[in-house]
Amino acid sequence: MTRKSSLIKIEKMASQHLGELITLGLDESQVKFVGTIDDILTMINAQIRPYVITVENQVVGFFLIDTVYEKNNDFVTSKSLGLRKFFIDNKHQGNGYAKQTLNLLPDYLAVTYPNHTDVYLTVNVKNNVAKNLYLKNGFQDTEELYLGGPSGPQHVMKLAYKVA
């Protein structure tokens, strides 16, 4: 049974989340696309901001919002954010949490980042499960490929959530 989306929350990562966060894991087949939590945590800075996905106050997932995504990616504008390292813990996959989070994301970003209009991500061409998840939840394939990924070519996907 899928849980109701009202139980899902997106929260800024805080120090109290760290204990749970470092226990999150991915299936070995997914690590090549996302990386390890230790590697991901080293990416956090003032411009790349961490968020946790919680269900009833338990951390079940994680992602980063890159507020300067356009600095390293010429396919976006200054009004664009980057969604990076999005994942649901392997023990919590299959419950619809990724779908529910992606459904909450546009409104959350519109409120949290009012000067931005859209969010981009790249997904490895070999990761069809993730690509289909994003397509089913409002992202569009821009038909461009990003070739700078460590695991090979990636589809560039965009979700417009606010009129410019």
Side-chain angles (χ1 to χ4, degrees), residues 6-122:
S6 61
L7 300 176
I8 286 272
K9 285 187 187 164
I10 297 171
E11 302 177 38
K12 285 183 184 173
M13 186 188 94
S15 55
Q16 73 261 22
H17 297 124
L18 205 50
E20 284 183 271
L21 197 57
I22 60 174
T23 68
L24 297 184
L26 289 168
D27 184 86
E28 195 59 42
S29 66
Q30 297 168 319
V31 171
K32 64 185 172 204
F33 300 127
V34 180
T36 65
I37 193 66
D38 291 339
D39 292 337
I40 295 168
L41 291 175
T42 66
M43 299 174 69
I44 297 169
N45 61 38
Q47 290 81 35
I48 300 176
R49 301 173 183 166
Y51 292 86
V52 293
I53 302 160
T54 63
V55 176
E56 297 175 349
N57 296 317
Q58 179 184 7
V59 176
V60 299
F62 182 83
F63 63 89
L64 299 171
I65 292 295
D66 187 338
T67 61
V68 292
Y69 201 58
E70 82 282 357
K71 291 217 184 316
N72 296 313
N73 299 288
D74 59 6
F75 51 82
V76 301
T77 72
S78 62
K79 297 272 187 197
S80 303
L81 296 167
L83 175 61
R84 302 176 66 186
K85 307 300 183 181
F86 180 86
F87 75 93
I88 301 296
D89 178 67
N90 58 359
K91 295 181 296 297
H92 297 284
Q93 291 178 8
N95 292 315
Y97 297 153
K99 177 183 190 303
Q100 292 171 35
T101 302
L102 291 173
N103 285 326
L104 293 173
L105 194 62
D107 289 341
Y108 186 84
L109 293 177
V111 169
T112 309
Y113 298 98
N115 295 326
H116 294 81
T117 58
D118 49 50
V119 61
Y120 280 79
L121 60 83
T122 61

Side-chain angles (χ1 to χ4, degrees), residues 142-154:
T142 66
E143 306 296 328
E144 287 184 68
L145 286 180
Y146 172 72
L147 302 176
S151 300
Q154 299 176 31

